[in-house]
Amino acid sequence: LSRLDAADNEVEELGADIAALPALKSLDVANNQLRELPAALADCPRLKEANFRGNQLRDKRLEKMVNGCQTKAILEYLRAGGRGKGKAESAREEVRKKKREKQQKRDSGDGEQDEVEEVSKLLVKVLHVSENPAPLVVKVSPGVKDVRAFIVCCVLKGVNLKPGNALKRFLSMQTKLHEDICEKRTVATIATHDLQLVKAPLTYDVQPPDELKIMPLGRKEIKAKDLLRQLQLEAEEQRKQKKRQNVSGLHKYLQLLDGKDNYPCLVDAEGAVISFPPITNSEKTKIRKETRDLFLEVTSDTSLQICKDVMDTLILKIAELNRSTLENKEGSGSDVESDALCGPGNLNLPLVMEQVRVVDTDGNLKVLYPSKTDLATVSSLLTVIR
């Protein structure tokens, strides 16, 4: 049993024997009468998606978590035995600690101005579809349902990757997210593009391995089938040279496409594949130091909510990176434009997010990001102007 849907059933208790379902991937027990969640849930090795919302839980901290946290964080909390003991609480505890320190500063008359500046630097303004004269739309083909069903996209304008090593840190941040929150790309994959190089409208589609063509980052145009064979040979060579089983780079994601008759891809208006998840982006829309506006994409074969959670975190990390770049005024030689961009007047400028609609082939809305309820998971660290 891999999926268990038991929402709206007046369920009063979830037994510890839930751990006897080793293949369970998805659990929905929303809007029931549960008062507690068994720690045994943490022993379900493949559980990636769970919905516990709408239950009056005794542990109020846990109740808040089920309304705003990823399943992984909830399971870690349960594994540690509850209140205050889980690793998942460490980040939130750090946020609370900083808030307490700021409150103490205010009470003593210090730091009020610092706090105002801190908040203003992490601003994100959302431009709604109705306010955008040319909103970007992604059309989803029916075939993706059986391959990689979920996609969430948005546009982020106003980033500054020109000074110093800002671009390198941006790419490193994306790699770290793939390792951590995306669980080595097994639950989700991030793709970032230079918006100016994206030819809309876009189509999220599937193509056979011997038909899908892409110009991968740093490589010549190649068919997906040949790219994977090439990467496999490189992986074998890498193993021989290093005399170990682990491989690095794109090679470690090849098994994620095992057994697929068709591969997922994001295709632009010119018919070019700009993204081939979970393997690579295209050189055509590659981000460079001069890039100011981004098109962001998160795909998953697990759930739509995971796509949104990953996108929330990605937006936060980009905002933090942008603030750090502007604050530090990282050197960029004699580039006058960069010096101007790093001037103090720009510290208060918010990043601008544009909503992107994902629709089916008939134009019916599947998902709009960011909606009013999105970005809640990072609301304590990000000020969103809607």
Side-chain angles (χ1 to χ4, degrees):
L1 183 67
S2 65
R3 183 179 182 88
L4 178 58
D5 292 329
D8 305 292
N9 271 298
E10 299 187 6
V11 176
E12 296 181 357
E13 184 180 357
L14 198 58
D17 52 359
I18 190 81
L21 298 175
L24 188 65
K25 289 183 180 179
S26 175
L27 173 65
D28 187 353
V29 287
N31 305 316
N32 281 297
Q33 296 178 16
L34 296 174
R35 299 289 286 158
E36 294 179 352
L37 297 180
L41 278 167
D43 297 325
C44 295
R46 304 187 69 184
L47 186 59
K48 301 291 184 187
E49 179 186 1
N51 184 2
F52 304 113
R53 296 181 180 87
N55 289 288
Q56 300 296 315
L57 301 175
R58 288 194 182 93
D59 186 337
K60 295 306 172 187
R61 181 179 296 180
L62 180 59
E63 189 169 42
K64 285 182 180 178
M65 289 181 71
V66 303
N67 288 323
C69 294
Q70 293 181 52
T71 300
K72 185 179 178 181
I74 296 167
L75 296 181
E76 284 181 358
Y77 182 82
L78 292 171
R79 182 178 290 114
R83 186 177 297 275
K85 297 177 183 177
K87 292 179 183 177
E89 285 295 288
S90 59
R92 279 176 284 285
E93 182 57 38
E94 187 65 25
V95 172
R96 286 193 287 270
K97 183 179 175 183
K98 287 181 179 179
K99 283 185 177 179
R100 285 197 299 271
E101 288 173 354
K102 287 175 183 177
Q103 184 63 47
Q104 288 169 0
K105 278 187 177 182
R106 282 204 304 275
D107 293 343
S108 62
D110 296 330
E112 188 169 351
Q113 186 60 36
D114 290 343
E115 185 181 19
V116 171
E117 290 176 2
E118 178 91 7
V119 172
S120 69
K121 290 170 200 166
L122 272 175
L123 285 177
V124 172
K125 184 180 187 331
V126 175
L127 183 69
H128 293 260
V129 168
S130 58
E131 303 167 326
N132 191 345
L136 203 150
V137 176
V138 177
K139 186 176 289 187
V140 176
S141 299
V144 303
K145 184 179 179 183
D146 301 319
V147 179
R148 195 175 184 86
F150 308 103
I151 183 169
V152 167
C153 305
C154 73
V155 166
L156 189 64
K157 292 186 171 182
V159 299
N160 185 14
L161 301 172
K162 212 165 188 181
N165 65 349
L167 177 59
K168 184 178 178 181
R169 290 192 294 122
F170 175 86
L171 298 174
S172 296
M173 172 270 294
Q174 190 173 325
T175 299
K176 191 170 189 307
L177 289 178
H178 271 144
E179 289 294 309
D180 297 340
I181 191 171
C182 296
E183 298 181 27
K184 301 187 188 307
R185 302 197 192 188
T186 56
V187 297
T189 305
I190 297 165
T192 55
H193 309 267
D194 185 327
L195 180 67
Q196 303 305 316
L197 303 175
V198 173
K199 307 297 182 186
L202 301 173
T203 303
Y204 184 47
D205 201 0
V206 290
Q207 294 182 16
D210 57 350
E211 291 181 19
L212 193 161
K213 285 184 180 179
I214 187 170
M215 186 183 293
L217 292 169
R219 298 173 185 252
K220 295 179 180 178
E221 186 177 67
I222 189 171
K223 289 182 179 179
K225 179 180 67 174
D226 298 330
L227 173 62
L228 263 63
R229 186 185 299 118
Q230 195 177 95
L231 290 170
Q232 194 66 54
L233 291 172
E234 289 175 11
E236 292 299 327
E237 186 62 30
Q238 206 178 96
R239 287 192 187 97
K240 287 178 185 176
Q241 288 178 359
K242 297 186 178 180
K243 296 181 179 178
R244 62 185 188 190
Q245 280 302 106
N246 293 336
V247 291
S248 59
L250 298 179
H251 313 92
K252 56 189 174 184
Y253 305 122
L254 297 180
Q255 78 280 1
L256 299 178
L257 289 173
D258 285 351
K260 304 283 187 187
D261 295 326
N262 290 298
Y263 291 164
C265 56
L266 193 63
V267 184
D268 70 7
E270 297 175 343
V273 172
I274 64 170
S275 176
F276 170 28
I279 303 299
T280 184
N281 293 5
S282 168
E283 186 75 20
K284 182 178 181 181
T285 56
K286 179 180 177 179
I287 290 175
R288 296 167 174 80
K289 274 183 171 284
E290 295 74 27
T291 301
R292 296 282 293 158
D293 303 332
L294 307 174
F295 173 68
L296 307 176
E297 153 213 346
V298 177
T299 59
S300 172
D301 62 358
T302 306
S303 79
L304 183 63
Q305 189 58 49
I306 282 175
C307 288
K308 290 189 169 194
D309 290 344
V310 170
M311 186 68 87
D312 286 358
T313 306
L314 177 62
I315 298 298
L316 172 64
K317 293 301 180 185
I318 294 174
E320 288 178 340
L321 184 64
N322 215 47
R323 178 190 66 180
S324 174
T325 301
L326 293 174
E327 273 183 339
N328 297 331
K329 302 182 183 179
E330 296 182 10
S332 56
S334 59
D335 194 319
V336 177
E337 182 186 357
S338 288
D339 291 342
L341 287 170
C342 292
N346 281 277
L347 289 176
N348 295 324
L349 291 177
L351 291 169
V352 176
M353 283 185 75
E354 292 184 3
Q355 290 180 316
V356 170
R357 296 169 69 241
V358 175
V359 301
D360 62 19
T361 49
D362 295 323
N364 301 311
L365 183 66
K366 291 177 70 70
V367 60
L368 173 72
Y369 185 92
S371 67
K372 289 181 180 179
T373 57
D374 293 324
L375 296 167
T377 57
V378 294
S379 60
S380 60
L381 301 168
L382 200 64
T383 301
V384 182
I385 306 168
R386 299 185 188 270

